[in-house]
Amino acid sequence: MRNDLQNYIDTIPAIKDGYQMKETFWLNDKIVAGGERTIRLLSPEKIDDARDRLERFAPYLKKVFPELKETGGIIESELREIEGMRDFLNRNYGAEVEGRLMLKMDSHLPISGSVKARGGIYEVLKHGEDLALKAGLLKETDDYAVLAEPRFLEFFGRHTVQVGSTGNLGMSIGIMSAKLGFHVIVHMSADAKQWKKDLLRSRGVEVIEYADDYCAAVEQGRKRSDEDPMSYFVDDENSRDLFLGYSVAGGRLKAQLEERNIAVDREHPLFVYIPCGIGGAPGGVTYGLKQIYGDNVHCFFTEPVHACCMLFGMATGLHDQVCVKDFDIDGRTDADGLAVGRPSAFVGKVVEPVLSGIATIEDRKLYDLMRGLLDSEDIFIEPSSCASFAALIRPKDLKRYIEKAGLSGKMKNATHIAWATGGNMVPEEMRKEYLNKGLS
Ligand SMILES: *Cc1c(COP(=O)(O)O)cnc(C)c1O
């Protein structure tokens, strides 16, 4: 273990748990009322800018992805009430979920079946737009459906997009970049599943495999991209654009809640639980929600015990200056979307004044939760997604938060949202394998 970390283990119980690879639930003591107004690293107008950009692209997306016909080119997922799952959690895990439990089904987002269809696709579109505007081939006022024309395929074909990925980010970046006509290279870590590599190759994406972990794949990808002036690197560790793509989810969720007359205010708190890898997706969604709901939304990240990098980064305040290997933890988890050893360089700092806490979960429980959701709701999601229930199954810790936040007595009116971050594209044989995991 890195020798300067012992002090954190001795003084912060959640760090001690993390180090011992025990499940834990850390409450963020740096959260402040109105914390979103203190964030200086980004500005909220950027969210509107991202939303508007996605709207400009809608006619193009509708044209090239038939599955987006129905929504007019907007990539959005269903919000579904899951009462059966609430009963399952209360019965089998002693959860004490009062109020409503809902599933935000990014697991079923069109195009790439994971939350990365928000940030990843957004960043590729933005890069494509930047190039086309600069070349004088496009104006913001044009109908972006023109981007499907051969002259644009030819134009983008002279450019390369590269990314390092454990799987899902590569899927979103790969599919979207290839559709626009880019040459695209996805650098995949050892955790990445074979079927994802196969699928990408079938879409014309170049996949390079590494025996090492995620950070190594990113490093190699960045290096290769830097050597090529026509190449653009999607940098999961630092990208503001990815983050902003995710943050658009806030306004979209607001519209969905309003449509169902679900109130979010002082008397009706909203609790949101989002699985965390490097932090971009849960951080962006949290940032977007906080701008809208302020102190009435309570956001939690969830991580596997073997890859709890954001817990280590935020609870120590060391952020990206610490990784799980520094604590002698291997980073190996079946939740491949969360198999990240070092947190983002900026997300932890951005969410420091607004994040409620971080819960961690053991891999074997992910499978049990997966079966629970399938049995009770007939919804399949992948192991990473199932981490979204990690906080709800620790009722004592959640109660500690509820009391601290002065919400006791209001929880009957609360809405809980588990953010299902992936699953729809998992092939049938893999689903079977997952569903049999840990059953004797
Ligand atoms: C990427 C991913 C996450 C987390 O996103 P980060 O930006 O890495 O924190 C969660 N779930 C799934 C399924 C993912 O693919």
Side-chain angles (χ1 to χ4, degrees):
M1 195 190 56
R2 209 171 91 183
N3 50 26
D4 62 322
L5 298 175
Q6 188 62 46
N7 185 41
Y8 296 103
I9 295 171
D10 294 340
T11 54
I12 307 168
I15 294 291
K16 186 172 183 185
D17 290 338
Y19 169 62
Q20 295 176 341
M21 283 191 274
K22 282 194 213 148
E23 291 182 346
T24 195
F25 197 148
W26 171 73
L27 297 186
N28 177 18
D29 52 16
K30 294 197 181 118
I31 189 171
V32 291
E36 57 284 349
R37 293 193 297 272
T38 69
I39 297 171
R40 295 283 168 263
L41 285 166
L42 283 157
S43 71
E45 303 84 72
K46 287 270 169 64
I47 305 176
D48 298 338
D49 182 51
R51 179 202 59 203
D52 294 348
R53 182 164 291 106
L54 288 168
E55 278 167 19
R56 285 200 292 282
F57 271 98
Y60 165 73
L61 293 170
K62 188 174 104 180
K63 191 163 181 181
V64 296
F65 292 110
E67 66 262 47
L68 292 179
K69 278 251 149 47
E70 229 173 280
T71 59
I74 295 296
I75 303 165
E76 195 42 73
S77 71
E78 186 187 343
L79 176 66
R80 192 184 294 180
E81 181 153 9
I82 48 170
E83 256 178 82
M85 186 60 179
R86 188 187 67 171
D87 296 343
F88 172 85
L89 295 175
N90 288 350
R91 194 172 56 239
N92 292 25
Y93 283 91
E96 295 165 15
V97 186
E98 299 178 273
R100 207 182 260 114
L101 177 61
M102 307 186 91
L103 193 69
K104 181 58 177 152
M105 294 170 68
D106 280 7
S107 47
H108 293 66
L109 272 174
I111 303 179
S112 65
S114 85
V115 68
K116 306 292 194 309
R118 297 185 186 278
I121 288 177
Y122 173 75
E123 177 149 353
V124 172
L125 295 177
K126 174 152 192 307
H127 176 58
E129 184 186 53
D130 287 346
L131 289 175
L133 290 173
K134 213 165 139 199
L137 294 171
L138 186 73
K139 290 193 303 292
E140 279 193 16
T141 48
D142 286 347
D143 178 345
Y144 278 23
V146 295
L147 290 165
E149 291 173 7
R151 63 192 169 104
F152 280 99
L153 289 172
E154 199 257 327
F155 170 69
F156 291 128
R158 294 197 292 265
H159 298 265
T160 301
V161 173
Q162 306 197 44
V163 67
S165 174
T166 62
N168 287 338
L169 184 63
M171 297 269 276
S172 288
I173 301 288
I175 293 170
M176 191 65 245
S177 302
K179 186 62 91 177
L180 278 163
F182 284 110
H183 173 217
V184 49
I185 306 174
V186 177
H187 302 263
M188 281 197 158
S189 58
D191 317 275
K193 300 275 185 279
Q194 189 59 41
W195 67 268
K196 293 183 182 171
K197 300 174 193 165
D198 296 343
L199 187 144
L200 283 173
R201 287 181 173 132
S202 78
R203 306 263 178 123
V205 174
E206 187 180 335
V207 177
I208 302 180
E209 302 175 48
Y210 298 88
D212 215 332
D213 71 353
Y214 174 72
C215 290
V218 171
E219 203 180 301
Q220 284 303 312
R222 183 183 286 121
K223 193 161 149 252
R224 288 256 323 237
S225 189
D226 287 350
E227 287 162 6
D228 177 358
M230 295 299 275
S231 176
Y232 176 80
F233 185 65
V234 176
D235 184 354
D236 203 10
E237 291 172 338
N238 295 288
S239 172
R240 306 293 196 265
D241 287 330
L242 273 174
F243 186 88
L244 289 165
Y246 294 122
S247 72
V248 173
R252 302 268 186 84
L253 185 74
K254 176 175 187 262
Q256 290 182 320
L257 288 168
E258 282 173 359
E259 217 169 86
R260 293 166 176 238
N261 294 314
I262 296 172
V264 179
D265 53 37
R266 279 176 70 90
E267 298 306 314
H268 301 82
L270 175 63
F271 278 62
V272 181
Y273 312 94
I274 320 167
C276 178
I278 201 161
V285 172
T286 294
Y287 181 70
L289 285 170
K290 277 284 170 181
Q291 295 301 333
I292 292 169
Y293 292 120
D295 296 338
N296 298 323
V297 65
H298 306 268
C299 299
F300 296 86
F301 292 176
T302 61
E303 297 187 300
V305 288
H306 280 257
C308 55
C309 64
M310 192 57 81
L311 171 76
F312 287 143
M314 290 193 72
T316 61
L318 294 171
H319 298 293
D320 63 324
Q321 299 306 307
V322 69
C323 68
V324 297
K325 284 204 175 112
D326 293 339
F327 283 97
D328 294 336
I329 293 176
D330 58 9
R332 295 262 161 193
T333 167
D334 289 349
D336 55 336
L338 313 179
V340 179
R342 187 185 297 278
S344 150
F346 77 102
V347 170
K349 291 169 206 159
V350 168
V351 300
E352 202 160 64
V354 295
L355 187 71
S356 294
I358 300 176
T360 64
I361 185 166
E362 287 175 10
D363 275 17
R364 63 179 177 83
K365 286 191 190 159
L366 300 176
Y367 292 107
D368 186 48
L369 291 162
M370 177 188 290
R371 286 185 283 267
L373 185 66
L374 188 68
D375 292 343
S376 63
E377 303 287 347
D378 200 24
I379 300 170
F380 174 85
I381 61 177
E382 65 185 77
S384 299
S385 277
C386 298
S388 58
F389 299 108
L392 288 166
I393 61 176
R394 297 184 64 94
K396 280 204 197 85
D397 293 301
L398 202 52
K399 203 174 222 160
R400 196 156 52 92
Y401 175 81
I402 289 165
E403 280 164 12
K404 195 182 105 183
L407 297 171
S408 313
K410 295 182 183 175
M411 294 310 288
K412 277 197 186 57
N413 301 327
T415 298
H416 299 267
I417 297 180
W419 211 281
T421 44
N424 195 29
M425 289 186 91
V426 177
E428 196 52 43
E429 323 82 78
M430 275 305 292
R431 292 186 190 206
K432 285 205 188 104
E433 202 182 305
Y434 283 151
L435 291 165
N436 287 320
K437 265 267 168 71
L439 293 180
S440 44

